PDB file of all heavy atoms in Angstrom:
ATOM      1  N   GLY I  89      14.691  -3.737  15.394  1.00  0.00           N
ATOM      2  CA  GLY I  89      15.354  -3.611  16.689  1.00  0.00           C
ATOM      3  C   GLY I  89      16.354  -4.721  16.943  1.00  0.00           C
ATOM      4  O   GLY I  89      16.241  -5.823  16.407  1.00  0.00           O
ATOM      5  N   THR I  90      17.339  -4.412  17.781  1.00  0.00           N
ATOM      6  CA  THR I  90      18.391  -5.374  18.131  1.00  0.00           C
ATOM      7  C   THR I  90      18.075  -6.026  19.469  1.00  0.00           C
ATOM      8  O   THR I  90      18.135  -5.356  20.507  1.00  0.00           O
ATOM      9  CB  THR I  90      19.748  -4.630  18.263  1.00  0.00           C
ATOM     10  OG1 THR I  90      20.046  -3.994  17.024  1.00  0.00           O
ATOM     11  CG2 THR I  90      20.853  -5.584  18.654  1.00  0.00           C
ATOM     12  N   PRO I  91      17.718  -7.323  19.479  1.00  0.00           N
ATOM     13  CA  PRO I  91      17.453  -7.977  20.759  1.00  0.00           C
ATOM     14  C   PRO I  91      18.720  -8.025  21.632  1.00  0.00           C
ATOM     15  O   PRO I  91      19.797  -8.387  21.165  1.00  0.00           O
ATOM     16  CB  PRO I  91      17.017  -9.392  20.357  1.00  0.00           C
ATOM     17  CG  PRO I  91      16.570  -9.266  18.938  1.00  0.00           C
ATOM     18  CD  PRO I  91      17.454  -8.198  18.346  1.00  0.00           C
ATOM     19  N   ARG I  92      18.542  -7.601  22.860  1.00  0.00           N
ATOM     20  CA  ARG I  92      19.649  -7.484  23.806  1.00  0.00           C
ATOM     21  C   ARG I  92      20.249  -8.858  24.171  1.00  0.00           C
ATOM     22  O   ARG I  92      21.462  -9.015  24.283  1.00  0.00           O
ATOM     23  CB  ARG I  92      19.050  -6.845  25.062  1.00  0.00           C
ATOM     24  CG  ARG I  92      19.967  -6.401  26.116  1.00  0.00           C
ATOM     25  CD  ARG I  92      19.140  -5.872  27.291  1.00  0.00           C
ATOM     26  NE  ARG I  92      18.478  -4.605  27.010  1.00  0.00           N
ATOM     27  CZ  ARG I  92      19.088  -3.411  27.082  1.00  0.00           C
ATOM     28  NH1 ARG I  92      20.338  -3.331  27.437  1.00  0.00           N
ATOM     29  NH2 ARG I  92      18.421  -2.295  26.810  1.00  0.00           N
ATOM     30  N   ALA I  93      19.350  -9.863  24.340  1.00  0.00           N
ATOM     31  CA  ALA I  93      19.778 -11.142  24.921  1.00  0.00           C
ATOM     32  C   ALA I  93      20.881 -11.812  24.102  1.00  0.00           C
ATOM     33  O   ALA I  93      21.894 -12.248  24.653  1.00  0.00           O
ATOM     34  CB  ALA I  93      18.572 -12.074  25.054  1.00  0.00           C
ATOM     35  N   ARG I  94      20.694 -11.873  22.787  1.00  0.00           N
ATOM     36  CA  ARG I  94      21.691 -12.570  21.950  1.00  0.00           C
ATOM     37  C   ARG I  94      23.051 -11.870  22.013  1.00  0.00           C
ATOM     38  O   ARG I  94      24.092 -12.525  22.082  1.00  0.00           O
ATOM     39  CB  ARG I  94      21.202 -12.631  20.496  1.00  0.00           C
ATOM     40  CG  ARG I  94      22.233 -13.217  19.544  1.00  0.00           C
ATOM     41  CD  ARG I  94      21.637 -13.494  18.175  1.00  0.00           C
ATOM     42  NE  ARG I  94      22.659 -13.736  17.170  1.00  0.00           N
ATOM     43  CZ  ARG I  94      23.196 -14.931  16.922  1.00  0.00           C
ATOM     44  NH1 ARG I  94      22.831 -15.970  17.627  1.00  0.00           N
ATOM     45  NH2 ARG I  94      24.107 -15.076  15.975  1.00  0.00           N
ATOM     46  N   VAL I  95      23.000 -10.540  22.010  1.00  0.00           N
ATOM     47  CA  VAL I  95      24.264  -9.789  22.048  1.00  0.00           C
ATOM     48  C   VAL I  95      25.000 -10.089  23.356  1.00  0.00           C
ATOM     49  O   VAL I  95      26.211 -10.361  23.364  1.00  0.00           O
ATOM     50  CB  VAL I  95      23.986  -8.271  21.911  1.00  0.00           C
ATOM     51  CG1 VAL I  95      25.263  -7.470  22.078  1.00  0.00           C
ATOM     52  CG2 VAL I  95      23.334  -7.976  20.569  1.00  0.00           C
ATOM     53  N   GLU I  96      24.249 -10.092  24.451  1.00  0.00           N
ATOM     54  CA  GLU I  96      24.882 -10.370  25.751  1.00  0.00           C
ATOM     55  C   GLU I  96      25.440 -11.791  25.805  1.00  0.00           C
ATOM     56  O   GLU I  96      26.540 -12.014  26.311  1.00  0.00           O
ATOM     57  CB  GLU I  96      23.882 -10.109  26.889  1.00  0.00           C
ATOM     58  CG  GLU I  96      23.701  -8.609  27.086  1.00  0.00           C
ATOM     59  CD  GLU I  96      22.583  -8.229  28.034  1.00  0.00           C
ATOM     60  OE1 GLU I  96      21.889  -9.137  28.536  1.00  0.00           O
ATOM     61  OE2 GLU I  96      22.401  -7.013  28.262  1.00  0.00           O
ATOM     62  N   GLU I  97      24.684 -12.741  25.231  1.00  0.00           N
ATOM     63  CA  GLU I  97      25.168 -14.134  25.213  1.00  0.00           C
ATOM     64  C   GLU I  97      26.461 -14.258  24.404  1.00  0.00           C
ATOM     65  O   GLU I  97      27.401 -14.927  24.826  1.00  0.00           O
ATOM     66  CB  GLU I  97      24.124 -15.058  24.558  1.00  0.00           C
ATOM     67  CG  GLU I  97      23.020 -15.497  25.495  1.00  0.00           C
ATOM     68  CD  GLU I  97      21.804 -16.011  24.718  1.00  0.00           C
ATOM     69  OE1 GLU I  97      21.969 -16.498  23.566  1.00  0.00           O
ATOM     70  OE2 GLU I  97      20.687 -15.903  25.255  1.00  0.00           O
ATOM     71  N   LEU I  98      26.478 -13.613  23.235  1.00  0.00           N
ATOM     72  CA  LEU I  98      27.676 -13.712  22.380  1.00  0.00           C
ATOM     73  C   LEU I  98      28.884 -13.096  23.072  1.00  0.00           C
ATOM     74  O   LEU I  98      29.976 -13.676  23.074  1.00  0.00           O
ATOM     75  CB  LEU I  98      27.420 -13.022  21.027  1.00  0.00           C
ATOM     76  CG  LEU I  98      26.460 -13.757  20.088  1.00  0.00           C
ATOM     77  CD1 LEU I  98      26.086 -12.879  18.897  1.00  0.00           C
ATOM     78  CD2 LEU I  98      27.084 -15.062  19.580  1.00  0.00           C
ATOM     79  N   LEU I  99      28.675 -11.930  23.679  1.00  0.00           N
ATOM     80  CA  LEU I  99      29.800 -11.272  24.363  1.00  0.00           C
ATOM     81  C   LEU I  99      30.302 -12.133  25.513  1.00  0.00           C
ATOM     82  O   LEU I  99      31.510 -12.289  25.711  1.00  0.00           O
ATOM     83  CB  LEU I  99      29.390  -9.888  24.873  1.00  0.00           C
ATOM     84  CG  LEU I  99      29.139  -8.829  23.801  1.00  0.00           C
ATOM     85  CD1 LEU I  99      28.613  -7.542  24.431  1.00  0.00           C
ATOM     86  CD2 LEU I  99      30.411  -8.542  22.999  1.00  0.00           C
ATOM     87  N   ALA I 100      29.349 -12.727  26.254  1.00  0.00           N
ATOM     88  CA  ALA I 100      29.737 -13.577  27.387  1.00  0.00           C
ATOM     89  C   ALA I 100      30.516 -14.802  26.904  1.00  0.00           C
ATOM     90  O   ALA I 100      31.370 -15.328  27.621  1.00  0.00           O
ATOM     91  CB  ALA I 100      28.499 -14.001  28.171  1.00  0.00           C
ATOM     92  N   ALA I 101      30.228 -15.240  25.671  1.00  0.00           N
ATOM     93  CA  ALA I 101      30.935 -16.402  25.117  1.00  0.00           C
ATOM     94  C   ALA I 101      32.265 -15.989  24.471  1.00  0.00           C
ATOM     95  O   ALA I 101      32.918 -16.803  23.808  1.00  0.00           O
ATOM     96  CB  ALA I 101      30.044 -17.109  24.101  1.00  0.00           C
ATOM     97  N   GLY I 102      32.635 -14.728  24.612  1.00  0.00           N
ATOM     98  CA  GLY I 102      33.933 -14.270  24.100  1.00  0.00           C
ATOM     99  C   GLY I 102      33.929 -13.909  22.624  1.00  0.00           C
ATOM    100  O   GLY I 102      34.974 -13.803  21.999  1.00  0.00           O
ATOM    101  N   LYS I 103      32.724 -13.713  22.058  1.00  0.00           N
ATOM    102  CA  LYS I 103      32.639 -13.383  20.626  1.00  0.00           C
ATOM    103  C   LYS I 103      32.542 -11.867  20.427  1.00  0.00           C
ATOM    104  O   LYS I 103      32.074 -11.141  21.310  1.00  0.00           O
ATOM    105  CB  LYS I 103      31.366 -13.980  20.022  1.00  0.00           C
ATOM    106  CG  LYS I 103      31.281 -15.476  20.123  1.00  0.00           C
ATOM    107  CD  LYS I 103      31.813 -16.131  18.896  1.00  0.00           C
ATOM    108  CE  LYS I 103      31.545 -17.608  18.942  1.00  0.00           C
ATOM    109  NZ  LYS I 103      32.466 -18.374  18.147  1.00  0.00           N
TER     110      LYS I 103
END
Side-chain angles (χ1 to χ4, degrees):
T90 301
R92 190 183 289 279
R94 174 170 166 87
V95 175
E96 286 171 358
E97 278 162 27
L98 288 170
L99 291 175
K103 300 267 188 205

